[in-house]
Amino acid sequence: MEKYIYVVPIGDILEDLINFLREKLEEIFRLKVKEYTKVPIPKEAYNPKRNQYYSYYFINLLFSLKLNDAIKILGITNVDLYTDNLNFIFGEAILNGKECVISIARLDNKFYGLPPDHTLLKIRALKEAVHELGHTFGLKHCKNPSCVMYFSNSLADTDKKDYNFCPECQLRLYNLF
Ligand SMILES: [Zn+2]
Ligand SMILES: [Zn+2]
């Protein structure tokens, strides 16, 4: 059975962004990438006190899809995510697992009251997608600030890094395959 990386829109995500990610992720991971039909945002994830969504439910939702031909499953949502002990997260992954999720909420200039920049949003989303998928393949954080596996604490960190792996992480990934 041929295996794929699945990209799952959770809520409304522009088709143009999904297509961009599909194309780029195929190049970077050299695996086929398939889009799954849009799924609704898990309502139970919403925390009204924080006006944010608990990311665990998103990972769980991806797990519940039971995609047998999936090597990895990347969820993309437009709502703001958080997890335990963190104010917000750009994404979360199961280390060495199958599922990961990214949120584009804080990757969007709109969030900071800045003029929209769709190209920049796509690049930022790609960086976070490669980063979280990297974790599912077993990669940990990298100290090289230009490597995609560098931990982004802020959008400035995301903007500074590349959407590719540094040579060392690339080699690690190759060995993990
Ligand atoms: Zn990380
Ligand atoms: Zn690296």
Side-chain angles (χ1 to χ4, degrees), residues 140-144 146-150 164-170 172:
K140 297 197 178 132
H141 287 148
C142 178
K143 288 197 167 59
N144 180 343
S146 61
C147 174
V148 74
M149 291 314 292
Y150 186 78
N164 275 304
F165 298 102
C166 73
E168 279 156 57
C169 286
Q170 187 70 61
R172 261 179 232 130

Side-chain angles (χ1 to χ4, degrees), residues 86 88 90 128 150-158 161:
L86 289 172
F88 75 90
F90 292 127
E128 295 308 326
Y150 186 78
F151 174 65
S152 291
N153 222 344
S154 69
L155 204 52
D157 292 330
T158 306
K161 70 184 183 184

